[in-house]
PDB file of all heavy atoms in Angstrom:
ATOM      1  N   THR A   1      -2.204  -2.286 -10.650  1.00  0.00           N
ATOM      2  CA  THR A   1      -1.443  -3.463 -10.929  1.00  0.00           C
ATOM      3  C   THR A   1      -0.452  -3.710  -9.793  1.00  0.00           C
ATOM      4  O   THR A   1       0.080  -4.851  -9.653  1.00  0.00           O
ATOM      5  CB  THR A   1      -0.670  -3.339 -12.283  1.00  0.00           C
ATOM      6  OG1 THR A   1       0.082  -2.181 -12.295  1.00  0.00           O
ATOM      7  CG2 THR A   1      -1.665  -3.429 -13.393  1.00  0.00           C
ATOM      8  N   VAL A   2      -0.074  -2.667  -9.049  1.00  0.00           N
ATOM      9  CA  VAL A   2       0.933  -2.919  -7.942  1.00  0.00           C
ATOM     10  C   VAL A   2       0.231  -3.489  -6.753  1.00  0.00           C
ATOM     11  O   VAL A   2       0.721  -4.379  -6.017  1.00  0.00           O
ATOM     12  CB  VAL A   2       1.602  -1.597  -7.571  1.00  0.00           C
ATOM     13  CG1 VAL A   2       2.397  -1.746  -6.296  1.00  0.00           C
ATOM     14  CG2 VAL A   2       2.435  -1.089  -8.717  1.00  0.00           C
ATOM     15  N   GLY A   3      -1.070  -3.078  -6.453  1.00  0.00           N
ATOM     16  CA  GLY A   3      -1.729  -3.561  -5.304  1.00  0.00           C
ATOM     17  C   GLY A   3      -2.679  -4.618  -5.567  1.00  0.00           C
ATOM     18  O   GLY A   3      -3.301  -5.149  -4.583  1.00  0.00           O
ATOM     19  N   GLY A   4      -2.873  -5.071  -6.818  1.00  0.00           N
ATOM     20  CA  GLY A   4      -3.859  -6.107  -7.055  1.00  0.00           C
ATOM     21  C   GLY A   4      -3.871  -6.492  -8.513  1.00  0.00           C
ATOM     22  O   GLY A   4      -2.808  -6.574  -9.167  1.00  0.00           O
ATOM     23  N   LEU A   5      -5.000  -6.763  -9.023  1.00  0.00           N
ATOM     24  CA  LEU A   5      -5.171  -7.188 -10.432  1.00  0.00           C
ATOM     25  C   LEU A   5      -5.032  -6.018 -11.391  1.00  0.00           C
ATOM     26  O   LEU A   5      -5.151  -4.872 -11.015  1.00  0.00           O
ATOM     27  CB  LEU A   5      -6.511  -7.853 -10.585  1.00  0.00           C
ATOM     28  CG  LEU A   5      -6.747  -9.091  -9.762  1.00  0.00           C
ATOM     29  CD1 LEU A   5      -8.175  -9.578  -9.884  1.00  0.00           C
ATOM     30  CD2 LEU A   5      -5.730 -10.234 -10.216  1.00  0.00           C
ATOM     31  N   PRO A   6      -4.760  -6.255 -12.651  1.00  0.00           N
ATOM     32  CA  PRO A   6      -4.500  -5.168 -13.586  1.00  0.00           C
ATOM     33  C   PRO A   6      -5.678  -4.087 -13.638  1.00  0.00           C
ATOM     34  O   PRO A   6      -5.516  -3.043 -13.890  1.00  0.00           O
ATOM     35  CB  PRO A   6      -4.341  -5.871 -14.944  1.00  0.00           C
ATOM     36  CG  PRO A   6      -3.813  -7.215 -14.580  1.00  0.00           C
ATOM     37  CD  PRO A   6      -4.460  -7.579 -13.262  1.00  0.00           C
ATOM     38  N   SER A   7      -6.893  -4.575 -13.328  1.00  0.00           N
ATOM     39  CA  SER A   7      -8.037  -3.634 -13.430  1.00  0.00           C
ATOM     40  C   SER A   7      -8.364  -3.103 -12.012  1.00  0.00           C
ATOM     41  O   SER A   7      -9.447  -2.489 -11.865  1.00  0.00           O
ATOM     42  CB  SER A   7      -9.236  -4.320 -13.991  1.00  0.00           C
ATOM     43  OG  SER A   7      -9.615  -5.447 -13.292  1.00  0.00           O
ATOM     44  N   ALA A   8      -7.592  -3.388 -11.031  1.00  0.00           N
ATOM     45  CA  ALA A   8      -7.853  -2.997  -9.606  1.00  0.00           C
ATOM     46  C   ALA A   8      -7.780  -1.416  -9.466  1.00  0.00           C
ATOM     47  O   ALA A   8      -7.098  -0.770 -10.281  1.00  0.00           O
ATOM     48  CB  ALA A   8      -6.890  -3.613  -8.677  1.00  0.00           C
ATOM     49  N   ASP A   9      -8.468  -0.941  -8.469  1.00  0.00           N
ATOM     50  CA  ASP A   9      -8.441   0.465  -8.172  1.00  0.00           C
ATOM     51  C   ASP A   9      -6.974   0.875  -7.731  1.00  0.00           C
ATOM     52  O   ASP A   9      -6.310   0.018  -7.176  1.00  0.00           O
ATOM     53  CB  ASP A   9      -9.469   0.847  -7.074  1.00  0.00           C
ATOM     54  CG  ASP A   9     -10.890   0.792  -7.601  1.00  0.00           C
ATOM     55  OD1 ASP A   9     -11.136   0.879  -8.828  1.00  0.00           O
ATOM     56  OD2 ASP A   9     -11.759   0.554  -6.746  1.00  0.00           O
ATOM     57  N   PRO A  10      -6.625   2.155  -7.899  1.00  0.00           N
ATOM     58  CA  PRO A  10      -5.319   2.566  -7.422  1.00  0.00           C
ATOM     59  C   PRO A  10      -5.272   2.453  -5.870  1.00  0.00           C
ATOM     60  O   PRO A  10      -6.245   2.462  -5.161  1.00  0.00           O
ATOM     61  CB  PRO A  10      -5.205   4.044  -7.767  1.00  0.00           C
ATOM     62  CG  PRO A  10      -6.286   4.175  -8.839  1.00  0.00           C
ATOM     63  CD  PRO A  10      -7.340   3.136  -8.591  1.00  0.00           C
ATOM     64  N   VAL A  11      -4.056   2.230  -5.350  1.00  0.00           N
ATOM     65  CA  VAL A  11      -3.769   2.226  -3.884  1.00  0.00           C
ATOM     66  C   VAL A  11      -3.248   3.588  -3.376  1.00  0.00           C
ATOM     67  O   VAL A  11      -2.298   4.032  -3.964  1.00  0.00           O
ATOM     68  CB  VAL A  11      -2.755   1.063  -3.583  1.00  0.00           C
ATOM     69  CG1 VAL A  11      -2.388   1.079  -2.111  1.00  0.00           C
ATOM     70  CG2 VAL A  11      -3.274  -0.268  -4.031  1.00  0.00           C
ATOM     71  N   HIS A  12      -3.889   4.189  -2.504  1.00  0.00           N
ATOM     72  CA  HIS A  12      -3.506   5.393  -1.985  1.00  0.00           C
ATOM     73  C   HIS A  12      -2.694   5.277  -0.749  1.00  0.00           C
ATOM     74  O   HIS A  12      -2.991   4.379   0.100  1.00  0.00           O
ATOM     75  CB  HIS A  12      -4.760   6.311  -1.691  1.00  0.00           C
ATOM     76  CG  HIS A  12      -5.615   6.537  -2.834  1.00  0.00           C
ATOM     77  ND1 HIS A  12      -5.395   7.560  -3.750  1.00  0.00           N
ATOM     78  CD2 HIS A  12      -6.735   5.895  -3.282  1.00  0.00           C
ATOM     79  CE1 HIS A  12      -6.326   7.540  -4.705  1.00  0.00           C
ATOM     80  NE2 HIS A  12      -7.117   6.480  -4.453  1.00  0.00           N
ATOM     81  N   TYR A  13      -1.610   6.045  -0.581  1.00  0.00           N
ATOM     82  CA  TYR A  13      -0.787   5.848   0.531  1.00  0.00           C
ATOM     83  C   TYR A  13      -0.022   7.210   0.853  1.00  0.00           C
ATOM     84  O   TYR A  13      -0.027   8.091   0.059  1.00  0.00           O
ATOM     85  CB  TYR A  13       0.327   4.754   0.384  1.00  0.00           C
ATOM     86  CG  TYR A  13       1.335   5.083  -0.727  1.00  0.00           C
ATOM     87  CD1 TYR A  13       2.583   5.494  -0.314  1.00  0.00           C
ATOM     88  CD2 TYR A  13       1.051   5.078  -2.062  1.00  0.00           C
ATOM     89  CE1 TYR A  13       3.571   5.821  -1.271  1.00  0.00           C
ATOM     90  CE2 TYR A  13       2.013   5.381  -2.983  1.00  0.00           C
ATOM     91  CZ  TYR A  13       3.232   5.786  -2.631  1.00  0.00           C
ATOM     92  OH  TYR A  13       4.181   6.131  -3.500  1.00  0.00           O
ATOM     93  N   ARG A  14       0.600   7.282   1.979  1.00  0.00           N
ATOM     94  CA  ARG A  14       1.421   8.407   2.363  1.00  0.00           C
ATOM     95  C   ARG A  14       2.934   7.959   2.353  1.00  0.00           C
ATOM     96  O   ARG A  14       3.274   7.074   3.084  1.00  0.00           O
ATOM     97  CB  ARG A  14       1.122   8.905   3.786  1.00  0.00           C
ATOM     98  CG  ARG A  14       1.875  10.176   4.131  1.00  0.00           C
ATOM     99  CD  ARG A  14       1.296  10.818   5.379  1.00  0.00           C
ATOM    100  NE  ARG A  14      -0.150  11.107   5.337  1.00  0.00           N
ATOM    101  CZ  ARG A  14      -0.710  12.166   4.858  1.00  0.00           C
ATOM    102  NH1 ARG A  14       0.097  13.163   4.365  1.00  0.00           N
ATOM    103  NH2 ARG A  14      -1.933  12.366   4.852  1.00  0.00           N
ATOM    104  N   PRO A  15       3.658   8.553   1.478  1.00  0.00           N
ATOM    105  CA  PRO A  15       5.045   8.115   1.324  1.00  0.00           C
ATOM    106  C   PRO A  15       5.889   8.397   2.529  1.00  0.00           C
ATOM    107  O   PRO A  15       5.652   9.382   3.287  1.00  0.00           O
ATOM    108  CB  PRO A  15       5.629   8.974   0.179  1.00  0.00           C
ATOM    109  CG  PRO A  15       4.424   9.475  -0.558  1.00  0.00           C
ATOM    110  CD  PRO A  15       3.324   9.621   0.516  1.00  0.00           C
ATOM    111  N   VAL A  16       6.865   7.459   2.832  1.00  0.00           N
ATOM    112  CA  VAL A  16       7.752   7.632   3.995  1.00  0.00           C
ATOM    113  C   VAL A  16       9.176   7.628   3.442  1.00  0.00           C
ATOM    114  O   VAL A  16       9.425   7.178   2.291  1.00  0.00           O
ATOM    115  CB  VAL A  16       7.580   6.583   5.019  1.00  0.00           C
ATOM    116  CG1 VAL A  16       6.209   6.677   5.709  1.00  0.00           C
ATOM    117  CG2 VAL A  16       7.810   5.251   4.431  1.00  0.00           C
ATOM    118  N   ILE A  17      10.103   8.094   4.193  1.00  0.00           N
ATOM    119  CA  ILE A  17      11.514   8.159   3.869  1.00  0.00           C
ATOM    120  C   ILE A  17      11.956   6.622   3.928  1.00  0.00           C
ATOM    121  O   ILE A  17      11.722   5.978   4.901  1.00  0.00           O
ATOM    122  CB  ILE A  17      12.316   8.986   4.832  1.00  0.00           C
ATOM    123  CG1 ILE A  17      11.875  10.392   4.591  1.00  0.00           C
ATOM    124  CG2 ILE A  17      13.794   8.830   4.514  1.00  0.00           C
ATOM    125  CD1 ILE A  17      12.447  11.403   5.678  1.00  0.00           C
ATOM    126  N   PRO A  18      12.550   6.106   2.780  1.00  0.00           N
ATOM    127  CA  PRO A  18      12.800   4.639   2.771  1.00  0.00           C
ATOM    128  C   PRO A  18      14.143   4.299   3.447  1.00  0.00           C
ATOM    129  O   PRO A  18      15.154   3.968   2.826  1.00  0.00           O
ATOM    130  CB  PRO A  18      12.959   4.429   1.311  1.00  0.00           C
ATOM    131  CG  PRO A  18      13.450   5.746   0.684  1.00  0.00           C
ATOM    132  CD  PRO A  18      12.809   6.803   1.574  1.00  0.00           C
ATOM    133  N   ASP A  19      14.118   4.388   4.795  1.00  0.00           N
ATOM    134  CA  ASP A  19      15.323   4.065   5.499  1.00  0.00           C
ATOM    135  C   ASP A  19      15.148   2.990   6.585  1.00  0.00           C
ATOM    136  O   ASP A  19      15.945   2.724   7.339  1.00  0.00           O
ATOM    137  CB  ASP A  19      15.996   5.342   6.116  1.00  0.00           C
ATOM    138  CG  ASP A  19      14.965   6.025   7.155  1.00  0.00           C
ATOM    139  OD1 ASP A  19      13.867   5.522   7.243  1.00  0.00           O
ATOM    140  OD2 ASP A  19      15.395   7.013   7.713  1.00  0.00           O
ATOM    141  N   VAL A  20      13.999   2.267   6.516  1.00  0.00           N
ATOM    142  CA  VAL A  20      13.753   1.173   7.346  1.00  0.00           C
ATOM    143  C   VAL A  20      13.634  -0.079   6.549  1.00  0.00           C
ATOM    144  O   VAL A  20      13.037  -0.116   5.518  1.00  0.00           O
ATOM    145  CB  VAL A  20      12.341   1.365   8.115  1.00  0.00           C
ATOM    146  CG1 VAL A  20      12.078   0.211   9.018  1.00  0.00           C
ATOM    147  CG2 VAL A  20      12.416   2.706   8.953  1.00  0.00           C
ATOM    148  N   VAL A  21      14.369  -1.103   7.042  1.00  0.00           N
ATOM    149  CA  VAL A  21      14.392  -2.381   6.354  1.00  0.00           C
ATOM    150  C   VAL A  21      13.519  -3.404   7.132  1.00  0.00           C
ATOM    151  O   VAL A  21      13.579  -3.507   8.290  1.00  0.00           O
ATOM    152  CB  VAL A  21      15.895  -2.970   6.265  1.00  0.00           C
ATOM    153  CG1 VAL A  21      15.885  -4.308   5.606  1.00  0.00           C
ATOM    154  CG2 VAL A  21      16.758  -1.951   5.517  1.00  0.00           C
ATOM    155  N   VAL A  22      12.702  -4.098   6.313  1.00  0.00           N
ATOM    156  CA  VAL A  22      11.830  -5.170   6.900  1.00  0.00           C
ATOM    157  C   VAL A  22      12.116  -6.465   6.175  1.00  0.00           C
ATOM    158  O   VAL A  22      12.529  -6.474   4.979  1.00  0.00           O
ATOM    159  CB  VAL A  22      10.359  -4.839   6.884  1.00  0.00           C
ATOM    160  CG1 VAL A  22      10.016  -3.614   7.717  1.00  0.00           C
ATOM    161  CG2 VAL A  22       9.837  -4.725   5.443  1.00  0.00           C
ATOM    162  N   GLU A  23      11.911  -7.598   6.901  1.00  0.00           N
ATOM    163  CA  GLU A  23      12.007  -8.877   6.280  1.00  0.00           C
ATOM    164  C   GLU A  23      10.628  -9.311   5.834  1.00  0.00           C
ATOM    165  O   GLU A  23       9.623  -9.119   6.584  1.00  0.00           O
ATOM    166  CB  GLU A  23      12.567  -9.864   7.278  1.00  0.00           C
ATOM    167  CG  GLU A  23      12.772 -11.248   6.732  1.00  0.00           C
ATOM    168  CD  GLU A  23      13.403 -12.230   7.811  1.00  0.00           C
ATOM    169  OE1 GLU A  23      14.016 -11.709   8.710  1.00  0.00           O
ATOM    170  OE2 GLU A  23      13.136 -13.392   7.670  1.00  0.00           O
ATOM    171  N   ILE A  24      10.527  -9.841   4.571  1.00  0.00           N
ATOM    172  CA  ILE A  24       9.247 -10.259   4.055  1.00  0.00           C
ATOM    173  C   ILE A  24       9.211 -11.760   3.743  1.00  0.00           C
ATOM    174  O   ILE A  24      10.296 -12.315   3.569  1.00  0.00           O
ATOM    175  CB  ILE A  24       8.746  -9.422   2.895  1.00  0.00           C
ATOM    176  CG1 ILE A  24       9.716  -9.680   1.647  1.00  0.00           C
ATOM    177  CG2 ILE A  24       8.585  -7.934   3.185  1.00  0.00           C
ATOM    178  CD1 ILE A  24       9.152  -9.187   0.332  1.00  0.00           C
ATOM    179  N   GLU A  25       8.020 -12.305   3.576  1.00  0.00           N
ATOM    180  CA  GLU A  25       7.901 -13.604   3.157  1.00  0.00           C
ATOM    181  C   GLU A  25       6.992 -13.569   1.855  1.00  0.00           C
ATOM    182  O   GLU A  25       5.909 -12.951   1.955  1.00  0.00           O
ATOM    183  CB  GLU A  25       7.183 -14.530   4.106  1.00  0.00           C
ATOM    184  CG  GLU A  25       6.863 -15.931   3.734  1.00  0.00           C
ATOM    185  CD  GLU A  25       6.163 -16.694   4.814  1.00  0.00           C
ATOM    186  OE1 GLU A  25       5.065 -16.259   5.242  1.00  0.00           O
ATOM    187  OE2 GLU A  25       6.716 -17.637   5.290  1.00  0.00           O
ATOM    188  N   ALA A  26       7.538 -14.074   0.706  1.00  0.00           N
ATOM    189  CA  ALA A  26       6.762 -14.003  -0.523  1.00  0.00           C
ATOM    190  C   ALA A  26       6.835 -15.352  -1.172  1.00  0.00           C
ATOM    191  O   ALA A  26       7.663 -16.170  -0.877  1.00  0.00           O
ATOM    192  CB  ALA A  26       7.419 -12.973  -1.386  1.00  0.00           C
ATOM    193  N   ASP A  27       5.892 -15.548  -2.072  1.00  0.00           N
ATOM    194  CA  ASP A  27       5.795 -16.792  -2.784  1.00  0.00           C
ATOM    195  C   ASP A  27       6.600 -16.933  -4.018  1.00  0.00           C
ATOM    196  O   ASP A  27       6.470 -17.869  -4.809  1.00  0.00           O
ATOM    197  CB  ASP A  27       4.316 -17.233  -2.982  1.00  0.00           C
ATOM    198  CG  ASP A  27       3.590 -16.282  -3.926  1.00  0.00           C
ATOM    199  OD1 ASP A  27       4.182 -15.221  -4.292  1.00  0.00           O
ATOM    200  OD2 ASP A  27       2.411 -16.578  -4.273  1.00  0.00           O
ATOM    201  N   GLN A  28       7.423 -15.923  -4.283  1.00  0.00           N
ATOM    202  CA  GLN A  28       8.317 -15.874  -5.402  1.00  0.00           C
ATOM    203  C   GLN A  28       9.577 -15.130  -5.071  1.00  0.00           C
ATOM    204  O   GLN A  28       9.558 -14.391  -4.100  1.00  0.00           O
ATOM    205  CB  GLN A  28       7.635 -15.423  -6.646  1.00  0.00           C
ATOM    206  CG  GLN A  28       7.131 -13.939  -6.463  1.00  0.00           C
ATOM    207  CD  GLN A  28       6.192 -13.567  -7.598  1.00  0.00           C
ATOM    208  OE1 GLN A  28       5.049 -14.057  -7.642  1.00  0.00           O
ATOM    209  NE2 GLN A  28       6.573 -12.653  -8.345  1.00  0.00           N
ATOM    210  N   THR A  29      10.623 -15.244  -5.811  1.00  0.00           N
ATOM    211  CA  THR A  29      11.881 -14.671  -5.422  1.00  0.00           C
ATOM    212  C   THR A  29      11.976 -13.190  -5.788  1.00  0.00           C
ATOM    213  O   THR A  29      12.863 -12.516  -5.333  1.00  0.00           O
ATOM    214  CB  THR A  29      12.998 -15.338  -6.214  1.00  0.00           C
ATOM    215  OG1 THR A  29      12.863 -15.345  -7.589  1.00  0.00           O
ATOM    216  CG2 THR A  29      13.199 -16.759  -5.698  1.00  0.00           C
ATOM    217  N   GLY A  30      11.055 -12.674  -6.582  1.00  0.00           N
ATOM    218  CA  GLY A  30      11.052 -11.252  -6.909  1.00  0.00           C
ATOM    219  C   GLY A  30       9.876 -10.922  -7.742  1.00  0.00           C
ATOM    220  O   GLY A  30       9.121 -11.789  -8.224  1.00  0.00           O
ATOM    221  N   PRO A  31       9.687  -9.642  -8.028  1.00  0.00           N
ATOM    222  CA  PRO A  31       8.552  -9.208  -8.809  1.00  0.00           C
ATOM    223  C   PRO A  31       8.606  -9.832 -10.233  1.00  0.00           C
ATOM    224  O   PRO A  31       9.631  -9.927 -10.903  1.00  0.00           O
ATOM    225  CB  PRO A  31       8.652  -7.711  -8.935  1.00  0.00           C
ATOM    226  CG  PRO A  31       9.931  -7.290  -8.293  1.00  0.00           C
ATOM    227  CD  PRO A  31      10.540  -8.535  -7.697  1.00  0.00           C
ATOM    228  N   ARG A  32       7.430 -10.232 -10.726  1.00  0.00           N
ATOM    229  CA  ARG A  32       7.351 -10.888 -12.075  1.00  0.00           C
ATOM    230  C   ARG A  32       6.372 -10.157 -12.944  1.00  0.00           C
ATOM    231  O   ARG A  32       6.647  -9.155 -13.485  1.00  0.00           O
ATOM    232  CB  ARG A  32       7.010 -12.392 -11.918  1.00  0.00           C
ATOM    233  CG  ARG A  32       7.948 -13.197 -11.114  1.00  0.00           C
ATOM    234  CD  ARG A  32       8.976 -13.838 -12.116  1.00  0.00           C
ATOM    235  NE  ARG A  32       9.741 -14.903 -11.467  1.00  0.00           N
ATOM    236  CZ  ARG A  32      10.768 -14.722 -10.673  1.00  0.00           C
ATOM    237  NH1 ARG A  32      11.113 -13.536 -10.388  1.00  0.00           N
ATOM    238  NH2 ARG A  32      11.375 -15.719 -10.166  1.00  0.00           N
ATOM    239  N   GLU A  33       5.165 -10.644 -13.117  1.00  0.00           N
ATOM    240  CA  GLU A  33       4.200 -10.180 -13.995  1.00  0.00           C
ATOM    241  C   GLU A  33       3.779  -8.788 -13.642  1.00  0.00           C
ATOM    242  O   GLU A  33       3.653  -8.438 -12.459  1.00  0.00           O
ATOM    243  CB  GLU A  33       2.957 -11.031 -14.130  1.00  0.00           C
ATOM    244  CG  GLU A  33       2.171 -11.188 -12.751  1.00  0.00           C
ATOM    245  CD  GLU A  33       1.035 -12.148 -12.865  1.00  0.00           C
ATOM    246  OE1 GLU A  33       1.067 -13.088 -13.702  1.00  0.00           O
ATOM    247  OE2 GLU A  33       0.078 -11.906 -12.160  1.00  0.00           O
ATOM    248  N   TYR A  34       3.740  -7.920 -14.602  1.00  0.00           N
ATOM    249  CA  TYR A  34       3.376  -6.409 -14.439  1.00  0.00           C
ATOM    250  C   TYR A  34       4.416  -5.780 -13.499  1.00  0.00           C
ATOM    251  O   TYR A  34       4.109  -4.774 -12.943  1.00  0.00           O
ATOM    252  CB  TYR A  34       1.949  -6.210 -13.821  1.00  0.00           C
ATOM    253  CG  TYR A  34       0.851  -6.856 -14.750  1.00  0.00           C
ATOM    254  CD1 TYR A  34       0.251  -8.072 -14.297  1.00  0.00           C
ATOM    255  CD2 TYR A  34       0.555  -6.305 -15.973  1.00  0.00           C
ATOM    256  CE1 TYR A  34      -0.677  -8.583 -15.116  1.00  0.00           C
ATOM    257  CE2 TYR A  34      -0.475  -6.911 -16.738  1.00  0.00           C
ATOM    258  CZ  TYR A  34      -0.994  -8.057 -16.333  1.00  0.00           C
ATOM    259  OH  TYR A  34      -2.036  -8.700 -17.109  1.00  0.00           O
ATOM    260  N   GLY A  35       5.542  -6.380 -13.338  1.00  0.00           N
ATOM    261  CA  GLY A  35       6.668  -5.800 -12.481  1.00  0.00           C
ATOM    262  C   GLY A  35       6.268  -5.720 -11.043  1.00  0.00           C
ATOM    263  O   GLY A  35       6.717  -4.922 -10.273  1.00  0.00           O
ATOM    264  N   ARG A  36       5.396  -6.685 -10.605  1.00  0.00           N
ATOM    265  CA  ARG A  36       5.079  -6.765  -9.198  1.00  0.00           C
ATOM    266  C   ARG A  36       5.011  -8.159  -8.694  1.00  0.00           C
ATOM    267  O   ARG A  36       5.119  -9.110  -9.470  1.00  0.00           O
ATOM    268  CB  ARG A  36       3.657  -6.075  -9.033  1.00  0.00           C
ATOM    269  CG  ARG A  36       2.592  -7.015  -9.723  1.00  0.00           C
ATOM    270  CD  ARG A  36       1.179  -6.599  -9.268  1.00  0.00           C
ATOM    271  NE  ARG A  36       0.147  -7.199 -10.017  1.00  0.00           N
ATOM    272  CZ  ARG A  36      -0.270  -8.466  -9.720  1.00  0.00           C
ATOM    273  NH1 ARG A  36       0.210  -9.171  -8.816  1.00  0.00           N
ATOM    274  NH2 ARG A  36      -1.271  -8.997 -10.472  1.00  0.00           N
ATOM    275  N   PHE A  37       4.892  -8.262  -7.388  1.00  0.00           N
ATOM    276  CA  PHE A  37       4.661  -9.630  -6.768  1.00  0.00           C
ATOM    277  C   PHE A  37       3.289 -10.119  -7.181  1.00  0.00           C
ATOM    278  O   PHE A  37       2.296  -9.278  -7.152  1.00  0.00           O
ATOM    279  CB  PHE A  37       4.806  -9.586  -5.306  1.00  0.00           C
ATOM    280  CG  PHE A  37       6.215  -9.537  -4.850  1.00  0.00           C
ATOM    281  CD1 PHE A  37       6.799  -8.358  -4.371  1.00  0.00           C
ATOM    282  CD2 PHE A  37       7.054 -10.672  -4.853  1.00  0.00           C
ATOM    283  CE1 PHE A  37       8.064  -8.295  -3.959  1.00  0.00           C
ATOM    284  CE2 PHE A  37       8.369 -10.616  -4.401  1.00  0.00           C
ATOM    285  CZ  PHE A  37       8.858  -9.381  -3.982  1.00  0.00           C
ATOM    286  N   ARG A  38       3.163 -11.371  -7.479  1.00  0.00           N
ATOM    287  CA  ARG A  38       1.814 -11.932  -7.857  1.00  0.00           C
ATOM    288  C   ARG A  38       0.845 -11.957  -6.630  1.00  0.00           C
ATOM    289  O   ARG A  38      -0.263 -11.552  -6.794  1.00  0.00           O
ATOM    290  CB  ARG A  38       1.947 -13.363  -8.402  1.00  0.00           C
ATOM    291  CG  ARG A  38       0.630 -13.971  -8.811  1.00  0.00           C
ATOM    292  CD  ARG A  38       0.920 -15.311  -9.478  1.00  0.00           C
ATOM    293  NE  ARG A  38      -0.378 -15.964  -9.715  1.00  0.00           N
ATOM    294  CZ  ARG A  38      -1.074 -15.846 -10.821  1.00  0.00           C
ATOM    295  NH1 ARG A  38      -0.615 -15.069 -11.836  1.00  0.00           N
ATOM    296  NH2 ARG A  38      -2.208 -16.466 -10.999  1.00  0.00           N
ATOM    297  N   HIS A  39       1.383 -12.306  -5.497  1.00  0.00           N
ATOM    298  CA  HIS A  39       0.599 -12.364  -4.267  1.00  0.00           C
ATOM    299  C   HIS A  39       1.301 -11.342  -3.335  1.00  0.00           C
ATOM    300  O   HIS A  39       2.449 -11.238  -3.286  1.00  0.00           O
ATOM    301  CB  HIS A  39       0.465 -13.696  -3.672  1.00  0.00           C
ATOM    302  CG  HIS A  39      -0.159 -14.697  -4.631  1.00  0.00           C
ATOM    303  ND1 HIS A  39       0.518 -15.683  -5.282  1.00  0.00           N
ATOM    304  CD2 HIS A  39      -1.515 -14.780  -5.048  1.00  0.00           C
ATOM    305  CE1 HIS A  39      -0.323 -16.364  -5.998  1.00  0.00           C
ATOM    306  NE2 HIS A  39      -1.509 -15.822  -5.898  1.00  0.00           N
ATOM    307  N   ARG A  40       0.428 -10.834  -2.425  1.00  0.00           N
ATOM    308  CA  ARG A  40       1.016  -9.842  -1.483  1.00  0.00           C
ATOM    309  C   ARG A  40       1.910 -10.448  -0.488  1.00  0.00           C
ATOM    310  O   ARG A  40       1.593 -11.468   0.122  1.00  0.00           O
ATOM    311  CB  ARG A  40      -0.185  -9.091  -0.795  1.00  0.00           C
ATOM    312  CG  ARG A  40      -0.993  -8.289  -1.765  1.00  0.00           C
ATOM    313  CD  ARG A  40      -2.312  -7.908  -1.297  1.00  0.00           C
ATOM    314  NE  ARG A  40      -2.271  -7.184  -0.059  1.00  0.00           N
ATOM    315  CZ  ARG A  40      -3.381  -6.770   0.555  1.00  0.00           C
ATOM    316  NH1 ARG A  40      -4.547  -6.876   0.076  1.00  0.00           N
ATOM    317  NH2 ARG A  40      -3.294  -6.072   1.707  1.00  0.00           N
ATOM    318  N   PRO A  41       3.134  -9.940  -0.310  1.00  0.00           N
ATOM    319  CA  PRO A  41       4.039 -10.469   0.715  1.00  0.00           C
ATOM    320  C   PRO A  41       3.640 -10.128   2.094  1.00  0.00           C
ATOM    321  O   PRO A  41       2.909  -9.197   2.303  1.00  0.00           O
ATOM    322  CB  PRO A  41       5.434  -9.838   0.321  1.00  0.00           C
ATOM    323  CG  PRO A  41       5.027  -8.591  -0.483  1.00  0.00           C
ATOM    324  CD  PRO A  41       3.725  -8.817  -1.100  1.00  0.00           C
ATOM    325  N   ARG A  42       4.109 -10.953   3.012  1.00  0.00           N
ATOM    326  CA  ARG A  42       3.827 -10.713   4.408  1.00  0.00           C
ATOM    327  C   ARG A  42       5.086 -10.097   5.069  1.00  0.00           C
ATOM    328  O   ARG A  42       6.198 -10.644   4.931  1.00  0.00           O
ATOM    329  CB  ARG A  42       3.515 -12.071   5.078  1.00  0.00           C
ATOM    330  CG  ARG A  42       3.167 -11.960   6.649  1.00  0.00           C
ATOM    331  CD  ARG A  42       2.868 -13.365   7.152  1.00  0.00           C
ATOM    332  NE  ARG A  42       1.973 -14.079   6.415  1.00  0.00           N
ATOM    333  CZ  ARG A  42       0.643 -13.996   6.393  1.00  0.00           C
ATOM    334  NH1 ARG A  42       0.103 -13.018   7.127  1.00  0.00           N
ATOM    335  NH2 ARG A  42      -0.129 -14.718   5.646  1.00  0.00           N
TER     336      ARG A  42
END
């Protein structure tokens, strides 16, 4: 549900220390349904 639709496969990743800030462009002001962004931000 974080990486896609509710029935989507899990997303595997390697965690990093969260000390880098990036600017994103999203089609909504914050996470909504299922506690996530509806469309993937850029």
Side-chain angles (χ1 to χ4, degrees):
T1 55
V2 174
L5 299 172
S7 61
D9 291 335
V11 175
H12 301 276
Y13 71 101
R14 185 169 306 271
V16 296
I17 297 170
D19 59 357
V20 177
V21 176
V22 297
E23 182 177 337
I24 65 168
E25 177 181 61
D27 63 354
Q28 59 193 69
T29 57
R32 297 269 194 280
E33 62 183 28
Y34 304 105
R36 65 165 174 83
F37 284 101
R38 181 175 173 88
H39 300 109
R40 294 163 57 179
R42 179 180 313 281

